[in-house]
């Protein structure tokens, strides 16, 4: 069990030293020399042999999980995918897929059988059952998709912070090694309130058009998770992750417009109007968290993390790149 405090976790980004890695480009998964030297596996990557260690990915069809799966598959890792409904989930053909639900611990034993590592998303309702099942299965390391909200000065007043703090605390108190990936605002959050008006050639309404955020590309979060799953140097560490620059919401909409090759009108709206639009797509506490974040960002720009560059050895993807990657989502 770790004795590192959350305050110490928040300082880790500034003191990181990149590990020796081999990689072809920023779009490929980082592979550490330490990982390549352990065990045997049938797939050869960059002239080295991958170890036969099973990684279980929860939420394998999710926004981040699917890219974790792609990253692990790209290096020939042994992967098992979990989903609540294998019949309806969009997953790679031929994948090892097991039905599992974190809120139903009786489904976890078969999913975790033989597993060494796990990629996990935060689900406070089932975390105790997961910890028990993972320890019984002999899991060695868990990489958790957490949230920067855990660093809130009073997480008890923030439902998002409370949820993720509960899960982090359970893992810290367990016998499992862990790594916490703590993204801030996801670039993909813009799909919730901006997708429909842009598709319909309408105006994007913003309550705080000049608020600055540093939205992170989901592929960068996934790449960090894969690095943590394939390198032992990340055990007991927590990484705050953001995009490489703080941009106004107005500028973010302009990047989407540039990707589409047409203008997008922007109108200022009330907070109540913005909340009403957001709760059509997300739970009220998530909508409130987004609006609170925008309000704070209108007063103070957020810090920009260097975790992606420090750990992966290449720049984080910009929001402009995210807009290009998701251009079809706005058509």
């Amino acid at each position: 069990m770790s004795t590192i405090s959350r305050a110490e976790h928040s300082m880790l980004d500034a003191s990181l030293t990149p590990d020796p890695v081999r990689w072809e480009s920023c779009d490929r998964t980082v592979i550490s020399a330490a990982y390549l030297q352990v065990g045997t596996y049938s797939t050869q990557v960059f002239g080295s042999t991958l170890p036969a260690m099973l990684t279980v990915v929860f939420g394998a069809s999710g926004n981040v999980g699917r890219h974790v799966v792609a990253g692990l598959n790209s290096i020939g890792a042994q992967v098992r995918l979990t989903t609540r409904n294998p019949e309806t989930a969009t997953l790679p053909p031929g994948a090892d897929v097991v039905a599992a639900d974190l809120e139903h611990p009786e489904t976890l034993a078969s999913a975790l059988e033989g597993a060494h590592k796990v990629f996990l998303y935060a689900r406070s309702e089932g975390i105790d059952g997961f910890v028990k099942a993972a320890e019984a299965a002999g899991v060695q390391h868990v990489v958790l998709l957490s949230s920067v909200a855990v660093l809130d000065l009073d997480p008890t007043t923030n439902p998002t912070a409370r949820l993720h703090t509960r899960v982090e605390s359970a893992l810290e108190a367990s016998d499992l090694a862990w790594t916490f990936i703590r993204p801030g605002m996801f670039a993909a959050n813009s799909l919730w309130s901006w997708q429909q008006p842009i598709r319909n050639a309408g105006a994007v309404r913003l309550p705080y058009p000049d608020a600055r955020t540093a939205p992170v590309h989901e592929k960068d979060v996934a790449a960090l998770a894969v690095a943590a799953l394939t390198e032992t140097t990340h055990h007991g560490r927590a990484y705050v992750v953001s995009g490489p620059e703080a941009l106004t919401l107005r500028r973010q909409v302009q990047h989407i417009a540039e990707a589409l090759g047409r203008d997008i009108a922007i109108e200022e709206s009330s907070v109540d109007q913005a909340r009403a639009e957001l709760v059509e797509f997300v739970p009220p506490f998530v909508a409130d968290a987004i609006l609170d974040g925008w309000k704070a960002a209108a007063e103070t720009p957020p810090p920009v993390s260097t975790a992606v560059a420090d750990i992966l050895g290449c720049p984080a993807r910009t929001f402009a790149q995210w807009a290009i990657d998701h251009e079809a989502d706005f058509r």
Side-chain angles (χ1 to χ4, degrees):
M1 293 188 295
S2 170
T3 59
I4 301 174
S5 69
R6 278 195 169 74
E8 289 171 320
H9 290 165
S10 67
M11 299 298 293
L12 284 172
D13 283 341
S15 61
L16 290 175
T17 300
D19 298 312
V21 295
R22 298 178 180 180
W23 53 290
E24 290 181 345
S25 77
C26 289
D27 291 326
R28 291 300 303 273
T29 300
V30 176
I31 305 173
S32 73
Y35 183 73
L36 295 171
Q37 291 169 358
V38 179
T40 59
Y41 189 58
S42 59
T43 302
Q44 297 289 321
V45 181
F46 306 144
S48 301
T49 305
L50 287 173
M53 294 193 297
L54 174 64
T55 299
V56 175
V57 178
F58 281 83
S61 60
N63 186 43
V64 175
R66 62 193 174 94
H67 294 297
V68 173
V69 172
L72 291 170
N73 283 339
S74 76
I75 60 173
Q78 186 180 359
V79 187
R80 178 180 297 150
L81 316 184
T82 78
T83 180
R84 293 179 180 179
N85 300 299
E87 297 80 10
T88 59
T90 302
L91 297 168
D96 177 7
V97 181
V98 176
D101 188 334
L102 290 170
E103 295 185 17
H104 295 278
E106 69 275 9
T107 68
L108 300 179
S110 59
L112 295 171
E113 182 180 2
H116 290 75
K117 297 170 181 287
V118 173
F119 173 76
L120 184 70
Y121 61 91
R123 198 77 181 179
S124 61
E125 295 86 350
I127 187 58
D128 293 329
F130 168 81
V131 167
K132 183 177 179 179
E135 289 178 338
V139 170
Q140 299 171 7
H141 181 212
V142 176
V143 175
L144 173 70
L145 178 60
S146 186
S147 168
V148 72
V150 299
L151 300 178
D152 193 305
L153 292 177
D154 184 8
T156 61
T157 64
N158 181 331
T160 301
R162 187 164 59 245
L163 180 157
H164 290 88
T165 298
R166 168 81 177 86
V167 175
E168 286 195 6
S169 297
L171 291 173
E172 289 174 326
S174 75
D175 293 328
L176 305 166
W178 49 263
T179 305
F180 301 148
I181 310 293
R182 295 170 171 169
M185 192 78 71
F186 275 97
N189 289 3
S190 63
L191 292 169
W192 293 337
S193 53
W194 300 352
Q195 184 181 51
Q196 287 307 314
I198 291 175
R199 278 183 169 180
N200 298 332
V204 171
R205 292 185 290 273
L206 301 172
Y208 304 102
D210 294 314
R212 292 180 180 271
T213 65
V216 61
H217 199 306
E218 62 274 9
K219 286 185 176 181
D220 283 336
V221 176
L224 286 175
V226 172
L229 288 165
T230 55
E231 300 172 9
T232 59
T233 54
H234 304 290
H235 289 194
R237 291 196 166 193
Y239 301 119
V240 172
V241 190
S242 74
E245 54 187 343
L247 300 170
T248 65
L249 300 183
R250 189 190 307 276
R251 184 67 184 107
Q252 291 170 39
V253 174
Q254 289 170 347
H255 277 308
I256 296 171
E258 290 162 5
L260 293 172
R262 64 176 176 83
D263 292 336
I264 298 173
I266 296 172
E267 295 178 357
E268 205 159 338
S269 70
S270 70
V271 173
D272 288 341
Q273 287 174 321
R275 189 179 189 279
E277 292 173 1
L278 282 169
V279 295
E280 293 181 13
F281 305 99
V282 299
F285 79 90
V286 175
D288 291 338
I290 292 172
L291 290 168
D292 288 345
W294 286 347
K295 180 180 179 181
E299 300 168 359
T300 305
V304 174
S305 164
T306 61
V308 172
D310 290 341
I311 296 169
L312 303 184
C314 55
R317 293 171 173 87
T318 63
F319 188 86
Q321 181 61 56
W322 181 88
I324 292 169
D325 292 344
H326 288 266
E327 169 261 341
D329 293 328
F330 292 97
R331 288 199 181 277

